[in-house]
Amino acid sequence: MSGLVNLPEPGRRVVVRYLLPTGQATDALGELLSADDTTVVVDGKRGVERIAVADIVAAKEVPPPPAPRRARSSSE
């Protein structure tokens, strides 16, 4: 893989910033399913995203999401 893309092994949570065809940057946040010399696959809230390595601006492992907040009771 490119030196620019430094991803952990599949199964880890990652964020991948990549360029859309319009030139605008966007992020894919989720579980890394696979990565090779041409494509990175991330499963996130928008579903499975297949990203061309050539379009990736930055990528890194990120910590797990925070635990959901407890609902406040009306007596608080």
Side-chain angles (χ1 to χ4, degrees), residues 38-67:
T38 60
T39 308
V40 171
V41 183
V42 177
D43 186 6
K45 286 188 178 180
R46 293 187 299 218
V48 175
E49 296 183 66
R50 288 171 173 77
I51 305 158
V53 169
D55 295 335
I56 295 175
V57 176
K60 66 179 181 178
E61 184 173 357
V62 293

Side-chain angles (χ1 to χ4, degrees), residues 1 4 6 17-18 27 33 41 56 60-61 69 73:
M1 223 180 323
L4 178 64
N6 186 19
R17 175 155 292 173
Y18 63 99
D27 294 331
L33 297 180
V41 183
I56 295 175
K60 66 179 181 178
E61 184 173 357
R69 290 186 173 186
S73 68

Side-chain angles (χ1 to χ4, degrees), residues 8-42:
E9 66 274 1
R12 301 291 193 141
R13 187 168 186 249
V14 296
V15 62
V16 179
R17 175 155 292 173
Y18 63 99
L19 297 176
L20 297 170
T22 62
Q24 181 180 7
T26 190
D27 294 331
L29 173 65
E31 179 185 348
L32 178 64
L33 297 180
S34 67
D36 61 29
D37 290 339
T38 60
T39 308
V40 171
V41 183
V42 177

